């Protein structure tokens, strides 16, 4: 099992996800989205796994102007804008192969083990 956790150091749910995998001695890779972010392939795989770009956007993100702008963009422009501004994606994004979930979802992660 190859687990990737995309999140930020200040996100409590990201810390809880890390703790979940540490406690079960499951190796994972933490990617700080403020430093690196997702590649285009990772972004598209997560988008497909979680049900689309709208499921990825954090309605509580601090960049309110960007959130308003995104509502009025076409689907392809919206995807490009979110990819360029990954700080508005809900965290943590946890991936295992082709599967991915957003948020703290231990009930889903148990099925991956």
């Amino acid at each position: 099992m190859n687990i990737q956790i995309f999140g930020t150091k200040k996100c409590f749910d990201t810390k809880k996800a890390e703790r979940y995998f540490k406690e079960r001695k499951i190796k994972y890779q933490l990617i700080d989205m403020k430093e690196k972010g997702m590649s285009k392939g990772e972004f598209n795989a997560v988008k497909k796994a979680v049900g689309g770009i709208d499921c990825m956007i954090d309605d509580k993100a601090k960049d309110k102007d960007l959130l308003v702008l995104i509502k009025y963009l076409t689907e392809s422009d919206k995807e490009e804008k979110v990819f360029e501004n990954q700080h508005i994606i809900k965290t943590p994004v946890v991936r295992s192969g082709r599967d991915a979930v957003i948020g703290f979802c231990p009930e889903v992660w148990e099925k991956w083990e």
Side-chain angles (χ1 to χ4, degrees):
M1 181 174 3
N2 185 20
I3 302 292
Q4 289 180 308
I5 302 173
F6 294 91
T8 60
K9 292 175 182 164
K10 291 185 177 183
C11 173
F12 290 112
D13 282 345
T14 299
K15 290 176 185 177
K16 288 186 341 189
E18 278 190 274
R19 189 173 341 123
Y20 175 90
F21 292 107
K22 271 184 193 171
E23 287 173 353
R24 286 155 184 79
K25 295 181 175 45
I26 298 170
K27 289 184 180 180
Y28 64 90
Q29 176 187 14
L30 177 67
I31 297 99
D32 190 336
M33 291 182 72
K34 288 192 176 185
E35 293 174 14
K36 187 172 182 236
M38 292 184 225
S39 70
K40 191 68 169 172
E42 291 167 336
F43 181 82
N44 288 329
V46 169
K47 180 182 69 176
K48 184 177 178 184
V50 301
I53 195 75
D54 292 326
C55 298
M56 296 173 69
I57 298 172
D58 184 0
D59 297 331
K60 297 180 182 107
K62 290 180 182 174
D63 194 343
K64 300 296 181 198
D65 294 338
L66 183 59
L67 290 174
V68 170
L69 172 67
I70 285 173
K71 288 181 184 177
Y72 297 101
L73 294 175
T74 63
E75 201 62 29
S76 61
D77 289 341
K78 184 188 291 189
E79 286 179 22
E80 194 59 41
K81 191 59 90 174
V82 173
F83 180 71
E84 291 170 6
N85 299 281
Q86 294 187 17
H87 62 277
I88 66 164
I89 296 175
K90 292 178 198 167
T91 55
V93 177
V94 183
R95 287 186 67 209
S96 175
R98 293 176 189 231
D99 296 322
V101 291
I102 294 181
F104 183 71
C105 304
E107 64 282 354
V108 175
W109 303 334
E110 284 176 9
K111 296 174 187 168
W112 294 351
E113 295 177 30

